[in-house]
Amino acid sequence: MTENQAIVLLIEDERQMRRFLRVALESEKYGVLEAETAADGLSQVATRNPDVVLLDLGLPDLDGLEVIEKLREWSAVPVIVISAREKEGDKIKALDRGADDYLTKPFGAGELLARIRVALRHASPKNQDQGEAVFVAADLRIDFLKRQVFCGTRKIHLTPIEYRLLTVLVKNAGKVMTHRHIIREVWGPLYVEQTHYVRVFMNQLRKKIETDSTRPRFLLNEPGIGYRFKE
């Protein structure tokens, strides 16, 4: 693997699926790591520092939802779930635990690669929009250069998608952002029909930055339209 290669970790117990994923990824010059179990996958995230994780939910030693929870205790690496579970409830559970995206099997290599590119763009500090270096609203402070968020003196851990969602709203403070606009800005045009993503991640974000997530001060809902960051 070269120094500038993006590294993708496959946590997938099905050998045939790993082979398909490896061929697709290596054709686009990604470095590929493989893990057949949750334990090995978690270990490799800690020791090999991948840029993206592709995670199957049906692992032999631990359910993938629990893997996401464990990862989110200490890592912000983008996680794309690849699963045969196709019910909306399964997708919401995965996103709610901290996954950044969800792809239902079977899927094409082209769509997978596009979603990986989106995840890498959102996780890269080089793609942070230029503007004021620090944003402050009451006790909320965002340092755009360091990609850090604070409530008072407490540092808030956000996943790459949560951070992107917050910054999109903050940079349009006072404006009503429609669900579709938010989807395009945060996830990209491939996701314009996945409006439930906004609801799930907004709930997560409120729990982290609002004093009372049921009575938000900053992240206001505009019923039937979208959301607004209150100046």
Side-chain angles (χ1 to χ4, degrees), residues 73-85:
E73 292 175 0
W74 50 273
S75 175
V77 62
V79 175
I80 300 175
V81 170
I82 49 173
S83 176
R85 302 177 193 175

Side-chain angles (χ1 to χ4, degrees), residues 29-78:
K29 309 304 181 185
Y30 289 111
V32 180
L33 303 172
E34 296 184 22
E36 295 184 41
T37 65
D40 186 23
L42 290 167
S43 175
Q44 291 205 50
V45 173
T47 59
R48 307 293 295 276
N49 194 29
D51 298 288
V52 178
V53 172
L54 300 183
L55 173 66
D56 181 32
L57 296 182
L59 298 170
D61 56 336
L62 193 67
D63 188 82
L65 295 175
E66 296 180 71
V67 175
I68 297 169
E69 284 189 331
K70 290 180 178 295
L71 272 178
R72 287 299 174 244
E73 292 175 0
W74 50 273
S75 175
V77 62

Side-chain angles (χ1 to χ4, degrees), residues 160-174:
I161 289 292
E162 290 168 348
Y163 178 80
R164 178 69 175 166
L165 176 59
L166 178 60
T167 57
V168 164
L169 290 166
V170 161
K171 291 182 178 185
N172 292 276

Side-chain angles (χ1 to χ4, degrees), residues 133-136 140-144 148-150 163 166-167 170:
V134 178
F135 173 88
V136 178
L140 176 68
R141 179 166 60 90
I142 305 171
D143 186 325
F144 293 115
Q148 294 178 339
V149 179
F150 297 86
Y163 178 80
L166 178 60
T167 57
V170 161

Side-chain angles (χ1 to χ4, degrees), residues 168-185:
V168 164
L169 290 166
V170 161
K171 291 182 178 185
N172 292 276
K175 300 178 183 178
V176 177
M177 305 285 287
T178 67
H179 295 103
R180 290 176 69 88
H181 190 129
I182 293 171
I183 284 286
R184 284 197 301 270
E185 290 291 318

Side-chain angles (χ1 to χ4, degrees), residues 112-149:
L112 172 67
L113 293 168
R115 296 196 184 206
I116 290 173
R117 290 192 294 270
V118 170
L120 289 171
R121 284 200 301 272
H122 290 166
S124 173
K126 294 179 181 178
N127 291 314
Q128 176 61 53
D129 296 334
Q130 296 300 312
E132 294 295 328
V134 178
F135 173 88
V136 178
D139 59 347
L140 176 68
R141 179 166 60 90
I142 305 171
D143 186 325
F144 293 115
L145 296 180
K146 296 181 179 179
R147 296 174 64 85
Q148 294 178 339
V149 179

